[in-house]
Amino acid sequence: MNTTHTGNLKQLKEEERPYEKCEQYGPEHLTDIELLAILLRSGTRGENVLSLAKKILYPIFSQEGILNIHHWTLEQLMQIKGIGKVKAYQILCLSELAKRLAKATAGKGLCFSSPDSIAKYYMEDMRHKKQEYMKLLLFNTRTRLIGETDISKGTVNASLVSPRELFIEALQKNAVSIILLHNHPSGDPSPSREDILITRKVRDAGDLIGIELLDHIIIGDNKYISLGEKGLLS
């Protein structure tokens, strides 16, 4: 048996085996690195699975820890020694599962008349994105969600967001009211001048055709700003 190969969990020193630690004490007693190591199962020749998990959670270019799971791309992961396509997809799926769990939890108390509730529901979907995305939420006469769509990707500004295209979508779905939702990759949800201009353009266009803009919510890093609550829709 090759004792120099420390790639998998069985070959780690007993006190370093995360699976055995989990079995004895429960998953809540494991570190983030140990939890990821169990999911990865094996490392590579010359580098054990704990070391590999640490590289994923604590790369030299970021100090975000476990949140780095959401920032890797398939190509970036496969550049790490010991990460092939299967492990890369495992990590991407873990990221997606975490987002869906957070969204499902927030969805239990979802109320579309509450900006706080809306922001919590879409927070994990949007706060990790590296580009700005704008969503259009469409509502019927009872303020029930009847559809949502991405209407802009990249820099969100008044010249790129077209009220015409936005309201064509709303009219096709027979919406009577809408909410705009977009993220700030900087993490700061404070509205820019462009954000306010977009809001006013959409509000004014909606007033002309009878579709009310209920709110424009900006998502930051675990925080948000509602332009409706700030009085910027009137």
Side-chain angles (χ1 to χ4, degrees):
M1 179 177 178
N2 184 357
T3 57
T4 63
H5 187 169
T6 58
N8 58 50
L9 293 176
K10 291 183 179 179
Q11 292 167 314
L12 294 173
K13 293 179 182 178
E14 186 173 351
E15 65 272 17
E16 294 178 345
R17 293 177 183 171
Y19 183 85
E20 283 79 357
K21 182 177 175 181
C22 180
E23 192 172 35
Q24 183 172 358
Y25 301 109
E28 67 273 17
H29 291 279
L30 271 60
T31 66
D32 296 342
I33 290 173
E34 289 169 335
L35 287 168
L36 182 57
I38 287 179
L39 297 176
L40 292 175
R41 298 184 64 186
S42 63
T44 186
R45 185 173 296 277
E47 184 163 43
N48 67 44
V49 68
L50 286 170
S51 177
L52 192 58
K54 185 176 181 180
K55 282 186 176 182
I56 295 164
L57 293 182
Y58 297 95
I60 58 174
F61 56 80
S62 174
Q63 301 298 315
E64 291 195 71
I66 195 169
L67 291 178
N68 284 310
I69 287 287
H70 295 304
H71 300 323
W72 290 102
T73 65
L74 178 68
E75 292 75 18
Q76 289 171 334
L77 285 167
M78 290 181 65
Q79 288 176 4
I80 300 173
K81 184 180 179 181
I83 299 291
K85 186 174 287 188
V86 172
K87 279 187 170 60
Y89 275 120
Q90 286 176 331
I91 294 164
L92 294 178
C93 288
L94 174 61
S95 169
E96 182 61 27
L97 183 61
K99 291 177 186 177
R100 294 187 189 190
L101 282 168
K103 192 170 183 179
T105 300
K108 290 182 178 180
L110 180 59
C111 172
F112 284 107
S113 62
S114 164
D116 183 65
S117 177
I118 296 169
K120 285 179 180 176
Y121 185 69
Y122 288 99
M123 183 65 68
E124 291 305 308
D125 274 352
M126 302 190 72
R127 74 184 181 109
H128 303 292
K129 293 185 181 298
K130 296 179 181 179
Q131 290 181 295
E132 288 193 17
Y133 282 76
M134 180 172 278
K135 284 184 177 292
L136 172 66
L137 309 184
L138 307 166
F139 300 91
N140 65 13
T141 53
R142 297 182 181 181
T143 320
R144 289 182 178 173
L145 185 69
I146 57 175
E148 66 174 71
T149 184
D150 291 332
I151 58 171
S152 179
K153 174 184 175 182
T155 301
V156 174
N157 61 51
S159 63
L160 293 179
V161 177
S162 166
R164 178 178 178 276
E165 293 178 8
L166 187 155
F167 283 110
I168 286 175
E169 183 76 19
L171 289 167
Q172 286 176 340
K173 296 287 178 59
N174 295 317
V176 298
S177 57
I178 60 173
I179 289 176
L180 295 178
L181 187 77
H182 88 273
N183 65 305
H184 280 180
S186 68
D188 180 1
S190 301
S192 66
R193 179 176 174 274
E194 287 289 344
D195 295 334
I196 295 170
L197 284 174
I198 291 167
T199 304
R200 290 174 177 169
K201 280 178 66 177
V202 173
R203 177 204 62 194
D204 292 346
D207 287 345
L208 288 174
I209 61 176
I211 297 179
E212 182 183 5
L213 175 62
L214 299 175
D215 207 346
H216 182 177
I217 299 170
I218 304 173
I219 299 290
D221 187 9
N222 264 334
K223 50 191 173 182
Y224 75 95
I225 282 179
S226 159
L227 273 65
E229 289 182 332
K230 293 290 184 182
L232 296 173
L233 295 186
S234 57

